Coordinates of all heavy atoms in Angstrom, one line a residue:
M1220 N 1.9 8.3 -38.4 CA 2.2 6.9 -37.9 C 3.0 6.9 -36.5 O 2.9 6.0 -35.7 CB 3.0 6.2 -38.9 CG 2.6 4.9 -39.5 SD 1.0 4.4 -39.1 CE 1.0 3.0 -40.2
E1221 N 3.9 8.0 -36.4 CA 4.7 7.9 -35.2 C 3.9 8.1 -33.9 O 4.2 7.6 -33.0 CB 5.7 9.1 -35.3 CG 6.9 8.9 -36.1 CD 7.9 10.0 -36.0 OE1 8.2 10.4 -34.8 OE2 8.4 10.3 -37.0
K1222 N 2.7 8.9 -34.0 CA 1.8 9.1 -32.9 C 1.3 7.8 -32.4 O 1.2 7.5 -31.2 CB 0.7 10.0 -33.3 CG 1.0 11.4 -32.8 CD -0.2 12.2 -33.0 CE -0.2 13.6 -32.4 NZ -1.3 14.5 -32.5
S1223 N 0.8 6.9 -33.3 CA 0.1 5.7 -33.0 C 1.3 4.7 -32.3 O 0.9 3.9 -31.4 CB -0.5 5.0 -34.1 OG 0.4 4.7 -35.1
A1224 N 2.5 4.8 -32.8 CA 3.5 4.0 -32.2 C 3.7 4.4 -30.7 O 4.0 3.6 -29.9 CB 4.8 4.1 -33.0
Q1225 N 3.7 5.6 -30.4 CA 3.8 6.1 -29.0 C 2.6 5.6 -28.2 O 2.8 5.4 -27.0 CB 4.0 7.6 -29.1 CG 5.3 8.1 -29.6 CD 5.4 9.5 -29.7 OE1 4.5 10.3 -29.4 NE2 6.6 10.1 -30.0
I1226 N 1.4 5.7 -28.7 CA 0.3 5.4 -28.0 C 0.3 3.9 -27.6 O -0.1 3.6 -26.4 CB -1.0 5.6 -28.8 CG1 -1.2 7.1 -29.1 CG2 -2.3 5.0 -28.2 CD1 -2.3 7.4 -30.0
F1227 N 0.9 3.0 -28.4 CA 0.8 1.7 -28.0 C 2.2 1.1 -27.5 O 2.4 -0.1 -27.5 CB 0.4 0.8 -29.3 CG -1.0 1.0 -29.7 CD1 -1.3 1.9 -30.8 CD2 -2.0 0.6 -28.8 CE1 -2.7 2.0 -31.2 CE2 -3.4 0.8 -29.3 CZ -3.7 1.5 -30.4
K1228 N 3.0 2.0 -27.1 CA 4.2 1.7 -26.4 C 4.0 0.9 -25.2 O 3.1 1.3 -24.3 CB 5.1 3.1 -26.1 CG 6.4 2.7 -25.5 CD 7.1 3.9 -25.1 CE 8.4 3.6 -24.5 NZ 9.1 4.9 -24.0
K1229 N 4.7 -0.2 -25.0 CA 4.5 -1.2 -23.9 C 5.0 -0.4 -22.6 O 6.0 0.3 -22.5 CB 5.4 -2.3 -24.0 CG 5.2 -3.3 -22.9 CD 6.1 -4.6 -23.1 CE 5.9 -5.5 -22.1 NZ 6.8 -6.7 -22.1
L1230 N 4.1 -0.4 -21.6 CA 4.4 0.3 -20.3 C 4.9 -0.8 -19.3 O 4.5 -1.9 -19.4 CB 3.1 0.8 -19.8 CG 2.5 2.0 -20.5 CD1 1.2 2.5 -19.9 CD2 3.5 3.2 -20.8
T1231 N 5.8 -0.5 -18.5 CA 6.4 -1.3 -17.5 C 6.2 -0.6 -16.1 O 6.1 0.6 -15.9 CB 7.9 -1.5 -17.7 OG1 8.5 -0.3 -17.5 CG2 8.1 -2.1 -19.0
S1232 N 6.1 -1.5 -15.1 CA 5.9 -1.0 -13.7 C 7.2 -0.4 -13.3 O 7.1 0.3 -12.1 CB 5.5 -2.2 -12.9 OG 6.5 -3.2 -12.9
S1233 N 8.3 -0.6 -13.8 CA 9.6 0.0 -13.3 C 9.5 1.5 -13.4 O 10.2 2.2 -12.7 CB 10.8 -0.6 -14.0 OG 10.8 -0.1 -15.5
G1234 N 8.7 2.1 -14.3 CA 8.6 3.5 -14.4 C 7.6 4.1 -13.3 O 7.6 5.3 -13.2
L1235 N 6.9 3.3 -12.5 CA 6.1 3.8 -11.4 C 6.9 4.1 -10.2 O 7.4 3.1 -9.6 CB 5.0 2.8 -11.2 CG 4.0 2.6 -12.3 CD1 3.1 1.5 -12.1 CD2 3.3 3.8 -12.8
E1236 N 6.9 5.2 -9.7 CA 7.7 5.7 -8.7 C 7.4 4.8 -7.4 O 8.3 4.4 -6.7 CB 7.7 7.1 -8.3 CG 8.6 7.5 -7.3 CD 8.6 9.1 -7.2 OE1 8.6 9.8 -8.1 OE2 8.5 9.5 -6.0
E1237 N 6.1 4.7 -7.1 CA 5.7 4.1 -5.8 C 6.1 2.6 -5.8 O 6.5 2.1 -4.8 CB 4.2 4.2 -5.6 CG 3.2 3.6 -6.6 CD 3.0 4.5 -7.8 OE1 3.6 5.5 -7.9 OE2 2.2 4.1 -8.6
K1238 N 6.1 1.9 -6.9 CA 6.6 0.5 -7.0 C 8.0 0.5 -6.8 O 8.6 -0.4 -6.2 CB 6.0 -0.2 -8.2 CG 4.6 -0.5 -8.2 CD 4.3 -1.7 -9.1 CE 2.9 -2.1 -8.8 NZ 2.7 -3.4 -9.4
S1239 N 8.8 1.3 -7.5 CA 10.2 1.2 -7.4 C 10.7 1.5 -6.0 O 11.7 1.0 -5.6 CB 10.9 2.1 -8.4 OG 10.5 3.4 -8.2
V1240 N 10.1 2.4 -5.4 CA 10.4 2.8 -4.0 C 10.2 1.6 -3.1 O 11.0 1.3 -2.2 CB 9.6 4.0 -3.4 CG1 9.6 4.2 -1.9 CG2 10.0 5.3 -4.1
I1241 N 9.0 0.9 -3.2 CA 8.7 -0.3 -2.4 C 9.8 -1.4 -2.6 O 10.3 -2.0 -1.7 CB 7.4 -0.7 -2.6 CG1 6.3 0.3 -2.0 CG2 7.0 -2.0 -2.0 CD1 4.9 0.1 -2.4
S1242 N 10.0 -1.7 -3.8 CA 11.1 -2.7 -4.2 C 12.4 -2.4 -3.7 O 13.2 -3.2 -3.2 CB 11.1 -2.9 -5.7 OG 9.8 -3.6 -6.1
A1243 N 12.8 -1.1 -3.8 CA 14.2 -0.6 -3.3 C 14.2 -0.8 -1.8 O 15.2 -1.2 -1.3 CB 14.3 0.8 -3.7
Q1244 N 13.1 -0.4 -1.1 CA 13.1 -0.5 0.4 C 13.1 -2.1 0.8 O 13.8 -2.5 1.7 CB 11.9 0.1 0.9 CG 11.8 1.6 0.9 CD 13.0 2.2 1.5 OE1 14.1 2.4 0.8 NE2 12.9 2.5 2.7
F1245 N 12.4 -2.9 -0.1 CA 12.5 -4.4 0.2 C 13.9 -4.8 0.1 O 14.5 -5.6 1.0 CB 11.7 -5.1 -0.9 CG 11.9 -6.6 -0.9 CD1 11.3 -7.4 -0.1 CD2 12.6 -7.1 -2.0 CE1 11.6 -8.8 -0.2 CE2 12.9 -8.5 -2.1 CZ 12.4 -9.3 -1.2
V1246 N 14.7 -4.4 -0.9 CA 16.1 -4.8 -1.1 C 16.9 -4.3 0.2 O 17.8 -5.1 0.6 CB 16.7 -4.3 -2.4 CG1 18.2 -4.5 -2.3 CG2 16.0 -4.9 -3.6
K1247 N 16.7 -3.2 0.7 CA 17.3 -2.7 1.9 C 17.1 -3.6 3.1 O 17.9 -3.9 3.8 CB 16.9 -1.2 2.1 CG 17.5 -0.3 1.1 CD 17.0 1.2 1.6 CE 17.4 2.2 0.5 NZ 17.0 3.5 0.8
V1248 N 15.8 -4.0 3.2 CA 15.4 -4.8 4.3 C 16.2 -6.2 4.1 O 16.7 -6.7 5.2 CB 13.9 -5.1 4.3 CG1 13.6 -6.2 5.4 CG2 13.2 -3.9 4.7
V1249 N 16.1 -6.8 3.0 CA 17.0 -8.1 2.7 C 18.5 -7.9 3.1 O 19.0 -8.7 3.9 CB 16.8 -8.6 1.3 CG1 17.7 -9.8 1.0 CG2 15.3 -8.9 1.1
D1250 N 19.0 -6.8 2.7 CA 20.4 -6.5 3.0 C 20.7 -6.4 4.6 O 21.6 -6.8 5.1 CB 20.9 -5.3 2.3 CG 21.0 -5.4 0.8 OD1 21.1 -6.7 0.3 OD2 21.0 -4.5 0.1
R1251 N 19.7 -5.7 5.2 CA 19.8 -5.5 6.6 C 19.6 -6.8 7.4 O 20.4 -7.1 8.4 CB 18.6 -4.6 7.1 CG 18.6 -4.2 8.6 CD 19.8 -3.6 9.1 NE 19.7 -3.3 10.5 CZ 19.2 -2.3 11.1 NH1 18.7 -1.3 10.5 NH2 19.2 -2.3 12.4
L1252 N 18.7 -7.8 6.9 CA 18.6 -9.0 7.6 C 19.9 -9.8 7.4 O 20.3 -10.5 8.3 CB 17.4 -9.8 6.9 CG 16.0 -9.4 7.2 CD1 15.0 -10.0 6.3 CD2 15.7 -9.5 8.7
R1253 N 20.5 -9.7 6.3 CA 21.8 -10.4 6.1 C 22.9 -9.8 6.9 O 23.7 -10.5 7.6 CB 22.3 -10.3 4.7 CG 21.6 -11.3 3.7 CD 22.1 -11.4 2.3 NE 23.5 -11.9 2.4 CZ 24.4 -11.5 1.5 NH1 24.0 -10.9 0.4 NH2 25.5 -12.0 1.6
A1254 N 22.9 -8.5 7.1 CA 23.9 -7.8 8.0 C 23.7 -8.2 9.4 O 24.6 -8.3 10.2 CB 23.8 -6.3 7.7
D1255 N 22.5 -8.4 9.8 CA 22.0 -8.7 11.2 C 22.3 -10.2 11.4 O 21.9 -10.7 12.5 CB 20.6 -8.3 11.5 CG 20.5 -6.8 11.6 OD1 21.6 -6.2 11.7 OD2 19.3 -6.4 11.6
G1256 N 22.8 -11.0 10.5 CA 23.0 -12.5 10.7 C 21.8 -13.3 10.5 O 21.8 -14.5 10.9
R1257 N 20.7 -12.8 10.1 CA 19.4 -13.6 10.0 C 19.5 -14.7 8.8 O 19.0 -15.7 8.8 CB 18.2 -12.7 9.7 CG 18.0 -11.6 10.7 CD 17.7 -12.1 12.1 NE 17.5 -11.0 13.1 CZ 16.5 -10.6 13.7 NH1 15.4 -11.2 13.5 NH2 16.7 -9.6 14.5
F1258 N 20.3 -14.2 7.8 CA 20.5 -15.0 6.5 C 22.0 -14.8 6.2 O 22.4 -13.6 6.1 CB 19.6 -14.7 5.3 CG 18.1 -14.9 5.7 CD1 17.3 -13.9 6.1 CD2 17.6 -16.2 5.5 CE1 16.0 -14.1 6.4 CE2 16.2 -16.3 5.9 CZ 15.5 -15.3 6.2
E1259 N 22.7 -15.9 5.9 CA 24.1 -15.8 5.4 C 24.2 -15.2 4.0 O 25.0 -14.4 3.6 CB 24.8 -17.0 5.7 CG 26.3 -17.0 5.5 CD 27.0 -18.1 6.0 OE1 26.5 -18.9 6.9 OE2 28.1 -18.4 5.3
L1260 N 23.3 -15.9 3.1 CA 23.4 -15.6 1.6 C 22.1 -15.3 1.1 O 21.0 -15.6 1.7 CB 23.9 -16.8 1.0 CG 25.2 -17.4 1.4 CD1 25.5 -18.8 0.7 CD2 26.4 -16.5 1.0
D1261 N 22.0 -14.6 0.0 CA 20.8 -14.3 -0.7 C 20.0 -15.6 -1.0 O 18.8 -15.6 -0.9 CB 20.9 -13.6 -2.0 CG 21.2 -12.1 -1.7 OD1 21.1 -11.6 -0.6 OD2 21.7 -11.4 -2.8
E1262 N 20.7 -16.6 -1.3 CA 20.1 -17.9 -1.6 C 19.3 -18.5 -0.4 O 18.3 -19.1 -0.5 CB 21.2 -19.0 -2.0 CG 21.7 -18.7 -3.3 CD 23.0 -17.8 -3.3 OE1 23.4 -17.3 -2.2 OE2 23.8 -17.7 -4.3
D1263 N 19.9 -18.2 0.8 CA 19.2 -18.7 2.1 C 17.8 -18.0 2.1 O 16.9 -18.6 2.5 CB 20.2 -18.5 3.2 CG 21.4 -19.2 3.2 OD1 21.5 -20.3 2.5 OD2 22.3 -18.8 3.8
F1264 N 17.9 -16.7 2.0 CA 16.7 -15.8 2.1 C 15.6 -16.4 1.1 O 14.5 -16.7 1.4 CB 17.0 -14.4 1.8 CG 15.7 -13.5 1.7 CD1 15.1 -13.1 2.9 CD2 15.2 -13.3 0.5 CE1 14.0 -12.3 2.9 CE2 14.0 -12.5 0.4 CZ 13.5 -12.0 1.6
C1265 N 16.0 -16.6 -0.2 CA 15.2 -17.0 -1.3 C 14.6 -18.3 -0.9 O 13.4 -18.6 -1.0 CB 15.9 -17.1 -2.6 SG 16.3 -15.4 -3.1
E1266 N 15.4 -19.2 -0.5 CA 15.0 -20.6 -0.2 C 14.0 -20.6 1.0 O 13.0 -21.3 1.0 CB 16.2 -21.5 0.2 CG 15.8 -22.9 0.5 CD 17.1 -23.8 0.8 OE1 18.2 -23.6 0.1 OE2 17.0 -24.5 1.8
H1267 N 14.3 -19.7 1.9 CA 13.3 -19.7 3.1 C 11.9 -19.3 2.7 O 10.9 -19.8 3.2 CB 13.9 -18.5 4.1 CG 13.0 -18.4 5.3 ND1 13.1 -19.3 6.3 CD2 12.0 -17.4 5.7 CE1 12.2 -18.8 7.3 NE2 11.8 -17.8 6.9
Y1268 N 11.8 -18.4 1.7 CA 10.5 -18.0 1.3 C 10.1 -18.7 0.0 O 8.9 -18.4 -0.5 CB 10.5 -16.5 1.0 CG 10.5 -15.7 2.2 CD1 11.5 -15.2 2.9 CD2 9.3 -15.7 3.1 CE1 11.6 -14.5 4.0 CE2 9.3 -15.1 4.3 CZ 10.4 -14.4 4.7 OH 10.5 -13.8 6.0
G1269 N 10.8 -19.7 -0.6 CA 10.4 -20.5 -1.8 C 10.5 -19.7 -3.0 O 9.6 -19.9 -3.9
Y1270 N 11.4 -18.8 -3.2 CA 11.7 -18.0 -4.4 C 13.1 -18.4 -4.9 O 13.9 -18.8 -4.1 CB 11.5 -16.6 -4.1 CG 10.2 -16.0 -3.9 CD1 9.6 -16.0 -2.7 CD2 9.4 -15.6 -5.0 CE1 8.3 -15.7 -2.4 CE2 8.1 -15.2 -4.8 CZ 7.5 -15.1 -3.5 OH 6.2 -14.7 -3.3
S1271 N 13.3 -18.1 -6.2 CA 14.5 -18.3 -6.7 C 15.5 -17.1 -6.5 O 14.9 -16.0 -6.4 CB 14.5 -18.6 -8.3 OG 14.1 -17.5 -9.0
K1272 N 16.7 -17.3 -6.6 CA 17.7 -16.2 -6.4 C 17.6 -15.3 -7.6 O 17.8 -14.1 -7.5 CB 19.1 -16.7 -6.3 CG 20.1 -15.7 -6.0 CD 21.4 -16.1 -5.8 CE 22.5 -15.0 -5.4 NZ 23.1 -14.4 -6.6
K1273 N 17.1 -15.8 -8.7 CA 16.9 -15.0 -9.9 C 15.8 -13.8 -9.7 O 16.0 -12.9 -10.1 CB 16.5 -15.9 -11.1 CG 16.4 -15.2 -12.4 CD 15.9 -16.0 -13.5 CE 16.9 -17.1 -13.8 NZ 16.4 -17.9 -15.1
M1274 N 14.8 -14.2 -9.0 CA 13.8 -13.2 -8.6 C 14.5 -12.1 -7.9 O 14.1 -10.9 -8.2 CB 12.6 -13.9 -7.8 CG 11.5 -12.9 -7.3 SD 11.8 -12.0 -5.8 CE 12.3 -13.1 -4.7
L1275 N 15.2 -12.4 -6.8 CA 15.8 -11.4 -6.1 C 16.7 -10.5 -6.9 O 16.8 -9.2 -6.7 CB 16.6 -12.0 -4.8 CG 17.1 -11.0 -3.9 CD1 16.0 -10.0 -3.3 CD2 17.7 -11.8 -2.7
N1276 N 17.5 -11.1 -7.7 CA 18.4 -10.4 -8.7 C 17.6 -9.5 -9.6 O 18.0 -8.3 -9.8 CB 19.3 -11.3 -9.5 CG 20.3 -12.0 -8.7 OD1 20.8 -11.5 -7.7 ND2 20.8 -13.2 -9.1
H1277 N 16.5 -9.9 -10.0 CA 15.7 -9.0 -10.9 C 15.1 -7.8 -10.1 O 15.0 -6.8 -10.6 CB 14.5 -9.9 -11.5 CG 14.9 -10.8 -12.6 ND1 15.5 -10.4 -13.8 CD2 14.8 -12.2 -12.7 CE1 15.7 -11.3 -14.6 NE2 15.3 -12.5 -14.0
V1278 N 14.8 -8.1 -8.9 CA 14.2 -7.0 -8.1 C 15.4 -6.1 -7.8 O 15.1 -4.7 -7.9 CB 13.7 -7.5 -6.7 CG1 13.3 -6.4 -5.8 CG2 12.4 -8.4 -7.0
R1279 N 16.5 -6.5 -7.4 CA 17.7 -5.7 -7.2 C 18.0 -4.8 -8.4 O 18.4 -3.5 -8.2 CB 19.0 -6.5 -6.9 CG 19.0 -7.0 -5.5 CD 20.4 -7.6 -5.3 NE 20.4 -8.4 -4.0 CZ 20.5 -7.8 -2.9 NH1 20.6 -6.6 -2.7 NH2 20.5 -8.6 -1.7
K1280 N 17.9 -5.3 -9.6 CA 18.3 -4.5 -10.8 C 17.1 -3.7 -11.5 O 17.3 -3.1 -12.4 CB 18.8 -5.6 -11.9 CG 20.1 -6.1 -11.4 CD 20.5 -7.1 -12.5 CE 21.9 -7.7 -12.0 NZ 22.4 -8.6 -12.9
G1281 N 15.9 -3.8 -10.7 CA 14.7 -3.0 -11.1 C 14.0 -3.6 -12.3 O 13.1 -2.9 -12.9
R1282 N 14.2 -4.8 -12.6 CA 13.5 -5.5 -13.7 C 12.2 -6.1 -13.3 O 11.4 -6.5 -14.1 CB 14.3 -6.6 -14.4 CG 15.5 -6.0 -15.2 CD 16.3 -7.0 -15.9 NE 17.5 -7.3 -15.1 CZ 18.3 -8.3 -15.1 NH1 18.1 -9.2 -16.0 NH2 19.2 -8.4 -14.2
Q1283 N 12.0 -6.2 -12.0 CA 10.9 -6.9 -11.5 C 10.5 -6.1 -10.1 O 11.4 -5.8 -9.4 CB 11.1 -8.4 -11.3 CG 10.0 -9.2 -10.8 CD 10.3 -10.7 -10.6 OE1 11.3 -11.1 -11.2 NE2 9.7 -11.4 -9.8
D1284 N 9.3 -6.2 -9.8 CA 8.9 -5.6 -8.4 C 8.6 -6.8 -7.5 O 8.3 -7.9 -7.9 CB 7.6 -4.7 -8.5 CG 7.9 -3.5 -9.2 OD1 8.9 -2.8 -8.9 OD2 7.1 -3.1 -10.1
V1285 N 8.9 -6.5 -6.3 CA 8.6 -7.6 -5.2 C 7.1 -7.8 -5.2 O 6.3 -6.9 -5.4 CB 9.1 -7.1 -3.9 CG1 8.5 -5.8 -3.3 CG2 9.1 -8.2 -2.8
S1286 N 6.8 -9.1 -4.9 CA 5.5 -9.4 -4.9 C 4.8 -9.0 -3.5 O 5.5 -8.9 -2.5 CB 5.2 -11.0 -5.0 OG 5.6 -11.6 -3.8
I1287 N 3.5 -8.7 -3.5 CA 2.9 -8.3 -2.3 C 2.9 -9.4 -1.2 O 3.1 -9.1 0.0 CB 1.4 -7.8 -2.6 CG1 1.3 -6.6 -3.5 CG2 0.6 -7.6 -1.3 CD1 2.0 -5.4 -2.9
E1288 N 2.7 -10.7 -1.7 CA 2.8 -11.6 -0.8 C 4.2 -11.8 0.0 O 4.2 -12.0 1.2 CB 2.5 -13.1 -1.5 CG 1.1 -13.1 -2.0 CD 0.9 -12.5 -3.4 OE1 1.9 -12.1 -4.1 OE2 -0.3 -12.3 -3.8
L1289 N 5.2 -11.7 -0.8 CA 6.6 -11.8 -0.2 C 6.9 -10.6 0.8 O 7.3 -10.7 1.8 CB 7.7 -11.8 -1.2 CG 9.0 -11.9 -0.8 CD1 9.2 -13.1 0.2 CD2 10.0 -11.9 -1.9
L1290 N 6.4 -9.5 0.3 CA 6.5 -8.3 1.1 C 5.7 -8.4 2.5 O 6.2 -8.1 3.5 CB 6.0 -7.0 0.4 CG 6.4 -5.7 0.9 CD1 7.9 -5.5 1.0 CD2 5.8 -4.5 0.0
Y1291 N 4.5 -8.8 2.3 CA 3.7 -9.1 3.5 C 4.3 -10.1 4.5 O 4.4 -9.8 5.7 CB 2.3 -9.6 3.1 CG 1.3 -9.8 4.1 CD1 0.6 -8.8 4.8 CD2 1.0 -11.1 4.5 CE1 -0.3 -9.0 5.8 CE2 0.1 -11.3 5.6 CZ -0.5 -10.3 6.2 OH -1.5 -10.5 7.1
D1292 N 4.7 -11.2 4.0 CA 5.5 -12.2 4.9 C 6.6 -11.7 5.6 O 6.9 -11.9 6.7 CB 5.8 -13.4 4.0 CG 4.6 -14.3 3.6 OD1 3.6 -14.1 4.2 OD2 4.8 -15.1 2.6
L1293 N 7.5 -10.8 4.8 CA 8.7 -10.3 5.3 C 8.3 -9.3 6.5 O 9.0 -9.4 7.6 CB 9.4 -9.5 4.2 CG 10.7 -9.0 4.5 CD1 11.8 -10.0 4.5 CD2 11.2 -7.9 3.5
V1294 N 7.3 -8.5 6.3 CA 6.9 -7.6 7.4 C 6.5 -8.3 8.7 O 6.9 -8.0 9.7 CB 5.9 -6.7 6.8 CG1 5.2 -5.9 7.9 CG2 6.5 -5.6 5.9
L1295 N 5.6 -9.3 8.4 CA 5.2 -10.1 9.5 C 6.3 -10.9 10.3 O 6.4 -10.9 11.5 CB 4.0 -11.0 9.1 CG 2.8 -10.3 8.7 CD1 1.7 -11.4 8.5 CD2 2.2 -9.5 10.0
D1296 N 7.1 -11.6 9.4 CA 8.1 -12.6 10.1 C 9.2 -11.8 10.7 O 9.6 -12.2 11.8 CB 8.8 -13.3 8.8 CG 7.8 -14.4 8.3 OD1 6.8 -14.6 8.9 OD2 8.2 -14.9 7.2
W1297 N 9.6 -10.7 10.3 CA 10.8 -10.0 10.8 C 10.4 -8.7 11.5 O 11.2 -7.9 11.9 CB 11.8 -9.7 9.8 CG 12.2 -11.1 9.1 CD1 11.8 -11.5 8.0 CD2 13.0 -12.1 9.8 NE1 12.5 -12.7 7.7 CE2 13.1 -13.0 8.8 CE3 13.7 -12.1 11.0 CZ2 13.8 -14.3 9.1 CZ3 14.3 -13.3 11.3 CH2 14.4 -14.3 10.2
K1298 N 9.1 -8.4 11.7 CA 8.7 -7.2 12.4 C 9.3 -6.0 11.8 O 9.7 -5.1 12.4 CB 8.8 -7.3 13.9 CG 8.0 -8.4 14.5 CD 8.4 -8.5 16.0 CE 7.6 -9.6 16.7 NZ 7.7 -10.8 16.2
V1299 N 9.2 -6.0 10.4 CA 9.7 -4.8 9.6 C 8.6 -3.6 9.7 O 7.4 -3.9 9.7 CB 9.9 -5.1 8.2 CG1 10.3 -4.0 7.3 CG2 10.9 -6.2 8.1
N1300 N 9.2 -2.4 9.9 CA 8.4 -1.3 10.1 C 7.7 -1.0 8.7 O 8.4 -0.7 7.7 CB 9.2 -0.1 10.5 CG 8.5 1.2 10.7 OD1 7.3 1.2 10.5 ND2 9.3 2.2 11.1
P1301 N 6.4 -1.0 8.6 CA 5.7 -0.8 7.3 C 6.0 0.6 6.8 O 6.0 0.8 5.6 CB 4.3 -0.9 7.7 CG 4.2 -1.7 8.9 CD 5.5 -1.4 9.6
Y1302 N 6.2 1.6 7.7 CA 6.5 2.9 7.3 C 7.9 2.9 6.5 O 8.1 3.8 5.7 CB 6.6 3.8 8.5 CG 5.2 4.2 9.0 CD1 4.8 3.6 10.2 CD2 4.3 5.0 8.4 CE1 3.6 3.8 10.7 CE2 3.1 5.2 8.8 CZ 2.6 4.6 10.1 OH 1.4 4.9 10.5
F1303 N 8.8 2.0 6.9 CA 10.0 1.9 6.2 C 9.9 1.5 4.8 O 10.5 2.1 3.9 CB 11.0 1.0 6.9 CG 12.4 0.9 6.3 CD1 13.3 1.9 6.5 CD2 12.7 -0.2 5.4 CE1 14.6 1.8 5.8 CE2 13.8 -0.2 4.8 CZ 14.9 0.7 5.0
I1304 N 9.1 0.6 4.6 CA 8.7 -0.1 3.2 C 8.2 1.1 2.3 O 8.6 1.1 1.1 CB 7.7 -1.1 3.4 CG1 8.2 -2.3 4.2 CG2 7.2 -1.7 2.1 CD1 9.4 -3.0 3.6
F1305 N 7.5 2.0 2.9 CA 7.0 3.1 2.0 C 7.9 4.3 2.0 O 7.5 5.4 1.4 CB 5.6 3.5 2.4 CG 4.5 2.4 2.1 CD1 4.1 1.6 3.1 CD2 4.1 2.3 0.8 CE1 3.2 0.5 2.8 CE2 3.1 1.3 0.5 CZ 2.7 0.4 1.5
G1306 N 9.0 4.2 2.7 CA 10.0 5.2 2.5 C 9.6 6.4 3.4 O 10.1 7.6 3.3
L1307 N 8.8 6.1 4.6 CA 8.3 7.2 5.5 C 9.0 7.2 6.7 O 8.8 8.0 7.5 CB 6.8 7.0 5.7 CG 6.0 7.1 4.4 CD1 4.5 6.7 4.7 CD2 6.1 8.5 3.7
S1308 N 10.0 6.2 6.9 CA 10.8 6.2 8.3 C 12.1 5.6 7.9 O 12.3 4.9 6.8 CB 10.0 5.3 9.2 OG 10.7 5.0 10.4
N1309 N 13.1 5.8 8.8 CA 14.4 5.4 8.7 C 14.6 4.1 9.5 O 15.7 3.5 9.4 CB 15.4 6.4 9.0 CG 15.5 7.5 8.1 OD1 15.4 7.3 6.8 ND2 15.7 8.8 8.5
Q1310 N 13.6 3.8 10.3 CA 13.7 2.6 11.2 C 13.3 1.3 10.4 O 12.2 1.3 10.0 CB 12.8 2.7 12.4 CG 13.3 3.9 13.3 CD 12.4 4.0 14.5 OE1 11.2 4.1 14.4 NE2 12.9 4.1 15.7
V1311 N 14.2 0.4 10.3 CA 13.9 -0.9 9.5 C 12.9 -1.7 10.3 O 11.8 -2.2 9.8 CB 15.1 -1.6 9.2 CG1 14.8 -2.9 8.5 CG2 16.0 -0.7 8.3
Y1312 N 13.3 -1.9 11.6 CA 12.3 -2.7 12.4 C 11.3 -1.9 13.1 O 11.6 -0.9 13.6 CB 13.2 -3.6 13.4 CG 14.3 -4.5 12.6 CD1 15.4 -4.3 12.7 CD2 13.7 -5.6 11.8 CE1 16.4 -5.2 12.0 CE2 14.6 -6.4 11.2 CZ 16.0 -6.2 11.4 OH 16.9 -7.0 10.6
A1313 N 10.2 -2.4 13.4 CA 9.1 -1.8 14.1 C 9.5 -1.6 15.6 O 9.0 -0.6 16.2 CB 7.8 -2.6 14.0
Q1314 N 10.4 -2.4 16.2 CA 10.8 -2.2 17.6 C 11.9 -1.3 17.8 O 12.4 -1.3 19.0 CB 11.0 -3.6 18.1 CG 9.9 -4.6 18.0 CD 10.3 -6.0 18.0 OE1 11.5 -6.3 17.4 NE2 9.6 -6.8 18.6
E1315 N 12.6 -0.8 16.8 CA 13.8 0.0 17.1 C 13.5 1.3 17.8 O 12.5 1.9 17.7 CB 14.5 0.3 15.8 CG 15.2 -0.7 15.2 CD 16.0 -0.4 13.9 OE1 15.6 0.6 13.2 OE2 16.9 -1.0 13.5

């Protein structure tokens, strides 16, 4: 019986390294935008993109992954370096 319980164990995306890396880099970009004065508060960032602060808190704590749509908008709006998002570069902005 133990074997079948293991087979049907619920899987979560938080265990997938590539997703957690992307969400972690997203949080770094949000923090950098705040440090650069683009947004004063997390609430301002969330309101700008039409998301709740709860979503950002869930992403920060690893309970939820950032949506592709939000990530895409962030990269286009702020000229974020896509290589940074995938952890392949230390440059946050594409123009640095």
Side-chain angles (χ1 to χ4, degrees):
M1220 234 11 170
E1221 278 186 52
K1222 258 188 175 179
S1223 64
Q1225 290 177 353
I1226 292 172
F1227 295 106
K1228 182 179 175 187
K1229 183 178 178 183
L1230 299 176
T1231 64
S1232 61
S1233 64
L1235 300 174
E1236 184 176 317
E1237 62 274 7
K1238 285 208 169 191
S1239 62
V1240 166
I1241 291 170
S1242 292
Q1244 295 299 93
F1245 165 79
V1246 170
K1247 289 179 186 178
V1248 171
V1249 172
D1250 292 343
R1251 177 69 182 268
L1252 289 170
R1253 284 190 59 207
D1255 291 345
R1257 310 287 174 117
F1258 296 98
E1259 190 172 327
L1260 303 169
D1261 284 346
E1262 291 89 352
D1263 298 334
F1264 173 84
C1265 292
E1266 185 178 313
H1267 180 79
Y1268 286 103
Y1270 287 87
S1271 70
K1272 186 174 183 272
K1273 187 184 289 187
M1274 177 277 310
L1275 185 56
N1276 286 336
H1277 285 302
V1278 173
R1279 282 188 191 281
K1280 293 179 180 181
R1282 287 182 262 173
Q1283 179 178 340
D1284 289 311
V1285 62
S1286 72
I1287 296 300
E1288 294 82 12
L1289 178 55
L1290 192 60
Y1291 181 77
D1292 290 341
L1293 187 77
V1294 168
L1295 290 181
D1296 291 349
W1297 303 104
K1298 296 178 178 57
V1299 173
N1300 182 1
Y1302 290 107
F1303 181 80
I1304 296 296
F1305 290 100
L1307 302 172
S1308 173
N1309 292 326
Q1310 293 179 314
V1311 176
Y1312 299 114
Q1314 302 158 323
E1315 284 186 333

